[in-house]
Amino acid sequence: MANEVVRLIKPQTYMNRSGAVLGPLKGRADFDPAADLLVLVDDIALSPGRFRLRGAGSPGGHNGLKSIQGMLQRQDYARLRIGVGMKPPEWEDLADWVLSRFSRDDRSAVDAILDPMADAVETWVAEGIERAMTKHNKGPEKG
């Protein structure tokens, strides 16, 4: 992995406009989203302390992924879905809930997966999404 060139890109927009950051890369001949893009994204369908890798798929209601898909006009890019907990109560706004601080227990659970997630990213860089999923996706996807 020492010879791999990695570019980290952080959108400076609202999440629902995340795809804009990929505009300059989209037209480059040396950029293949299926092989060269790994999106890290929060996921309310996963409990804090869990993460899952996927090689492709629909945005599943996630506005950031919708924006990325809209920019790329394709769904075949890898994503690392990071659990932030189940859907909030009906009376709480989803955006406010996702952006709020973790509880102490949830923060501990997230801290515990930082090293395994870093290893998953390194596996993706060195060996690709299929190997990363095989090595790092454990147990059922939900919860």
Side-chain angles (χ1 to χ4, degrees):
M1 185 167 136
N3 295 327
E4 296 290 337
V5 175
V6 176
R7 179 181 292 137
L8 300 176
I9 302 172
K10 179 181 177 183
Q12 299 296 308
T13 62
Y14 288 108
M15 184 220 13
N16 62 351
R17 295 189 177 163
S18 300
V21 74
L22 297 173
L25 292 175
K26 182 180 174 185
R28 292 179 53 148
D30 63 343
F31 176 64
D32 174 12
D36 301 331
L37 180 62
L38 175 64
V39 176
L40 280 62
V41 62
D42 58 2
D43 192 323
I44 63 169
L46 293 173
S47 301
R50 295 191 46 107
F51 69 92
R52 299 285 293 178
L53 290 150
R54 290 191 68 195
S58 75
H62 192 286
N63 290 332
L65 293 178
K66 285 179 188 176
S67 176
I68 290 167
Q69 180 180 321
M71 174 57 73
L72 298 175
Q73 294 298 298
R74 55 194 293 179
Q75 295 181 350
D76 61 336
Y77 57 89
R79 59 265 353 232
L80 176 74
R81 299 169 41 225
I82 304 165
V84 295
M86 298 302 169
K87 205 170 183 178
E90 288 180 22
W91 62 85
E92 190 165 359
D93 179 68
L94 179 60
D96 290 340
W97 184 78
V98 168
L99 294 173
S100 66
R101 292 188 181 273
F102 285 113
S103 70
R104 186 175 305 188
D105 289 343
D106 288 351
R107 180 70 217 190
S108 293
V110 171
D111 286 347
I113 63 168
L114 293 178
D115 286 339
M117 282 193 305
D119 187 46
V121 171
E122 289 179 2
T123 302
W124 173 79
V125 169
E127 302 178 53
I129 190 61
E130 293 299 326
R131 177 67 183 127
M133 289 188 314
T134 299
K135 183 176 177 184
H136 296 283
N137 287 350
K138 303 198 177 2
E141 190 158 330
K142 297 283 184 193

